[in-house]
Structures are given as structure tokens and as C-alpha cells.
């Protein structure tokens, strides 16, 4: 019995993850394959047509035009995105000339938003001139 528990335990630990994957990944994927094999308007009954949809798709000129544009877009955009990310990473790396200045400029929007939030809360809740404390004093709560 102990040997059985030892072999079963890892599968019991994987069961919740497999259930989530089954519901949110495997089922929609299989449903998509099924929908590609039927003629269906999304409301009425489904009529099985088999690979007929794929045959029509392969013979469609607009599909091939869109497919080639998608390939071109992917071939151009993916290297540009990864190349620019690598370039930014190199500029932010230690040891390069001017990296500290670039790092400060690059992180400036992040720092400014935190500073603005801090100053706003200080304006609202400041001990000497805070708006909230002033209003509470007027209402005789402080």
C-alpha cells in the first residue's frame, strides 16, 4: 500500500494543473479543430464537411495574400523587436560608456510617477498643510 501511495502522490499533485490545462488549453484546442471541420454559422446546427474547409482555404487567393503578408510582417517585426530589446539591454548594462546617463533617462518615467504619488499624498495628508487634516480640523475631528 505504501508503495502505491508513493507512486500515486506525484500524479495527485499534478491533477489540479492538468485539470486547468484541460479546461483552458486542451478543450479549446480540440474544439477549434472540430469547428474547422464543420460548416457552422455560430448559431444553427453544425454540418460536418470534413477537410472541405481546408480545401477551400488552400484554393483561396486572398488567404495566400494574407498569409504572405503575415509572414513578411513576422520576418520583419520579430528581429526588430528582439534586436531593439537587446540594444536597450546592452545600453543598460554596467561597464559601457554613458550607461548611467541612459539608465537614468530610461527609468525617469518610473521614478517620476512614484515621486508624484508621494507628493500628492503629502499634499493631502501633510501635518502642517494637508488638505484632509485641514478639513478634519474644520469639522472638529482633530
Amino acid at each position: 500500500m505504501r508503495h502505491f501511495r508513493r507512486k500515486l502522490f506525484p500524479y495527485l499533485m499534478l491533477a489540479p494543473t492538468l485539470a486547468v490545462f484541460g479546461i483552458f488549453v486542451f478543450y479549446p484546442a480540440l474544439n477549434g479543430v472540430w469547428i474547422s471541420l464543420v460548416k457552422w454559422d455560430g448559431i444553427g446546427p453544425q454540418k460536418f464537411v470534413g477537410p472541405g474547409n481546408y480545401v477551400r482555404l488552400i484554393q483561396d487567393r486572398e488567404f495566400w495574400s494574407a498569409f504572405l503578408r503575415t509572414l513578411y510582417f513576422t520576418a520583419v517585426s520579430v528581429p526588430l523587436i528582439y534586436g531593439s530589446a537587446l540594444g536597450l539591454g546592452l545600453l543598460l548594462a554596467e561597464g559601457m560608456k554613458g550607461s548611467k546617463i541612459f539608465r537614468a533617462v530610461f527609468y525617469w518615467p518610473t521614478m517620476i510617477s512614484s515621486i508624484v504619488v508621494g507628493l500628492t499624498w503629502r499634499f493631502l495628508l501633510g501635518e502642517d498643510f494637508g488638505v484632509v487634516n485641514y478639513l478634519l480640523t474644520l469639522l472638529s475631528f482633530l
Side-chain angles (χ1 to χ4, degrees):
M1 185 69 172
R2 177 173 259 193
H3 181 67
F4 178 72
R5 284 187 197 163
R6 181 173 250 167
K7 288 216 174 230
L8 184 63
F9 184 73
Y11 297 106
L12 289 175
M13 292 289 106
L14 288 173
T17 303
L18 291 176
V20 169
F21 264 81
I23 292 169
F24 293 106
V25 175
F26 299 135
Y27 173 73
L30 291 175
N31 192 37
V33 170
W34 170 253
I35 289 174
S36 74
L37 297 173
V38 297
K39 183 176 183 178
W40 185 40
D41 61 359
I43 299 172
Q46 299 176 348
K47 181 184 175 200
F48 184 77
V49 293
N53 289 336
Y54 290 105
V55 170
R56 273 197 359 232
L57 183 70
I58 290 171
Q59 294 172 348
D60 189 7
R61 286 182 178 256
E62 288 184 38
F63 165 74
W64 288 110
S65 174
F67 182 73
L68 291 174
R69 277 180 288 186
T70 302
L71 281 179
Y72 175 74
F73 174 77
T74 304
V76 171
S77 67
V78 170
L80 284 176
I81 289 170
Y82 278 99
S84 61
L86 180 62
L88 284 173
L90 288 173
L91 287 172
L92 291 171
E94 294 278 339
M96 288 190 65
K97 187 175 183 178
S99 66
K100 291 181 181 179
I101 294 170
F102 181 76
R103 199 175 310 149
V105 170
F106 188 74
Y107 288 121
W108 191 256
T110 306
M111 295 184 302
I112 286 179
S113 64
S114 300
I115 292 168
V116 169
V117 168
L119 289 174
T120 303
W121 281 109
R122 185 174 176 192
F123 173 73
L124 291 173
L125 302 174
E127 289 180 23
D128 299 328
F129 59 88
V131 174
V132 174
N133 287 334
Y134 175 73
L135 292 174
L136 289 175
T137 304
L138 282 178
L139 298 172
S140 302
F141 285 113
L142 289 178

